[in-house]
Amino acid sequence: NEYHTVADRLVAGQLTSLRRNLDFADATGNRYWICAFCVNQHASICGTFPHPPPTSSAEFARCDASRHDSVTSEPLPCCTCGTPKYLNEAPDLCELNKFDDMMEILSCSVPGFRHLVAVDRSFNTFTRLWCVAELVQAHLSSIPQSVCLLSDAVLDVDNADLSIYIKLANLRVAECSATRAEDKEEILSKIHDFNEFDSQVQALIFGTRGLLKKRLVGTDVLYAAVRTASRFSAISDASV
């Protein structure tokens, strides 16, 4: 349930020993759907960068970082493949907007299908709109889910740093980010009740069937506190 040791071994170039471990665990035949690889990026976003958000916004730094190589900091080139692009204006041909249909088909046709959530070190997975929508879709469809963290230490009961707890407890779908503003608008348009959706996200994370249930001590108490804080926040916002 932790991947920091695997990440360290990948960085160290220990590919042969990792493959040997996979062979021993009979895991080399496992198949994974990873959207970044399975969705044809050449038919969607490879040819240009999205319009940047205002420089004064918190989203600008993330958007700007995505335009540069994370190692060399050099600007990333755009692809010149010339493949026709299909985005929001062509919903039937677009490959980016069908995650819910894809998950339903796989869950019905693939025995033992599960949803694996690999979470980054800063837990930004839960602030990305596409990711949150996918998580909730799997949760509501009763697709078995499991979570893999860089390290469980950040959620240790003795950890004095509560920033991750605070971040997760204050998640709001309206404040989640997406690379393209058009994608965010389309996803949010499908959500009829933001408060109810936010409650579903909290249940997904902290509830009795939640992703982090096994990692948290006093989950039920924490979940109740989260729901109370969310309701109080919603009432406060409504009264402003």
Side-chain angles (χ1 to χ4, degrees):
N1 293 328
E2 297 178 307
Y3 62 83
H4 65 92
T5 55
V6 174
D8 290 342
R9 292 172 68 184
L10 284 172
V11 171
Q14 300 175 9
L15 301 183
T16 301
S17 63
L18 276 172
R19 180 172 290 278
R20 189 160 50 244
N21 292 153
L22 289 171
D23 288 336
F24 181 78
D26 195 26
T28 52
N30 291 353
R31 293 178 294 173
Y32 295 85
W33 174 287
I34 301 175
C35 287
F37 302 140
C38 296
V39 172
N40 185 2
Q41 309 293 327
H42 292 290
S44 54
I45 62 174
C46 75
T48 184
F49 290 110
H51 297 296
T55 55
S56 58
S57 67
E59 184 68 7
F60 179 80
R62 191 206 65 79
C63 181
D64 187 61
S66 70
R67 295 166 175 255
H68 295 80
D69 189 292
S70 60
V71 176
T72 66
S73 296
E74 292 292 323
L76 294 171
C78 290
C79 180
T80 59
C81 67
T83 303
K85 307 295 187 283
Y86 301 106
L87 298 169
N88 306 69
E89 70 280 357
D92 291 343
L93 296 175
C94 179
E95 294 189 23
L96 302 177
N97 59 352
K98 297 176 175 60
F99 70 91
D100 46 356
D101 295 326
M102 178 273 297
M103 294 177 74
E104 182 178 356
I105 291 173
L106 289 178
S107 66
C108 294
S109 60
V110 179
F113 178 72
R114 298 182 58 85
H115 188 213
L116 174 61
V117 185
V119 182
D120 61 290
R121 68 171 68 242
S122 299
F123 282 65
N124 287 330
T125 299
F126 296 103
T127 69
R128 301 293 293 161
L129 193 54
W130 280 110
C131 296
V132 170
E134 183 179 307
L135 291 170
V136 171
Q137 176 67 35
H139 186 68
L140 296 179
S141 301
S142 297
I143 296 174
Q145 293 175 292
S146 55
V147 65
C148 189
L149 306 180
L150 178 68
S151 172
D152 282 341
V154 68
L155 297 179
D156 193 282
V157 67
D158 295 322
N159 190 344
D161 184 0
L162 300 179
S163 60
I164 293 298
Y165 285 99
I166 295 171
K167 182 175 188 175
L168 295 177
N170 285 282
L171 290 177
R172 294 188 180 184
V173 66
E175 298 173 359
C176 288
S177 58
T179 301
R180 301 176 67 252
E182 300 92 330
D183 291 340
K184 181 172 183 176
E185 181 179 347
E186 180 175 335
I187 295 174
L188 292 181
S189 70
K190 298 179 181 179
I191 301 174
H192 302 295
D193 186 329
F194 283 9
N195 288 332
E196 175 60 26
F197 189 91
D198 290 341
S199 295
Q200 292 172 352
V201 173
Q202 295 300 329
L204 165 69
I205 298 173
F206 296 108
T208 55
R209 202 161 61 89
L211 291 173
L212 302 183
K213 177 180 181 294
K214 294 181 180 180
R215 289 176 163 81
L216 303 176
V217 176
T219 297
D220 295 334
V221 175
L222 180 58
Y223 179 44
V226 167
R227 288 184 60 85
T228 300
S230 297
R231 286 196 296 268
F232 179 78
S233 179
I235 292 173
S236 299
D237 289 346
S239 62
V240 173

